[in-house]
Amino acid sequence: HVQLVESGGGSVQAGGSLSLSCAVSGYTSSFNRMGWFRQAPGKEREGVAAIYPGGGSPDYSDSVKGRFTISLDNDKNTVYLQMNSLKPEDTAMYYCAARAAYTRGMWNGYNFWGQGTQVTVS
């Protein structure tokens, strides 16, 4: 049974930084792709950043490109999201997700989800 547990959310002022972590009970190297998503109140969930555990360049949404960095440690089975230059519009519940097999579209086909961690930027 795969579990993803996020941590590191909190409240920060605009321009500040936060670092999120996602501990995976399984082996991150066994997944096709790991990603971070977010959902703000009244809005649809959106993909933020994604990475292939096997290597390759990560992908980012246009709204966070240049400010957020996704990384992964296969030895620790943990995915990270470093968020810099935070803006009030980054306020949302952030979710870690894992995709077991390839699916067309960088934000599609995620099978496993964490419970989320709240990020509030004021």
Side-chain angles (χ1 to χ4, degrees):
H1 179 62
V2 176
Q3 287 188 310
L4 288 74
V5 180
E6 304 95 336
S7 61
S11 297
V12 65
Q13 290 188 337
S17 299
L18 280 175
S19 182
L20 305 183
S21 298
C22 172
V24 182
S25 64
Y27 294 102
T28 51
S29 58
S30 69
F31 295 106
N32 168 259
R33 198 159 170 86
M34 303 293 301
W36 286 95
F37 292 74
R38 68 185 182 186
Q39 188 167 20
K43 294 187 176 181
E44 293 187 356
R45 186 175 62 198
E46 63 170 339
V48 173
I51 190 169
Y52 288 106
S57 299
D59 292 294
Y60 299 94
S61 66
D62 288 342
S63 59
V64 307
K65 198 172 296 183
R67 300 187 297 121
F68 290 12
T69 302
I70 186 172
S71 61
L72 181 150
D73 187 332
N74 282 324
D75 290 336
K76 295 183 178 180
N77 296 312
T78 302
V79 186
Y80 306 95
L81 185 67
Q82 178 64 41
M83 305 184 294
N84 299 328
S85 302
L86 283 161
K87 305 174 181 180
E89 50 264 44
D90 294 319
T91 296
M93 185 72 78
Y94 282 72
Y95 299 91
C96 176
R99 188 168 80 183
Y102 171 77
T103 304
R104 186 183 298 272
M106 72 174 75
W107 307 122
N108 298 333
Y110 286 79
N111 316 84
F112 305 99
W113 295 84
Q115 293 299 307
T117 185
Q118 178 68 38
V119 171
T120 303
V121 185
S122 60

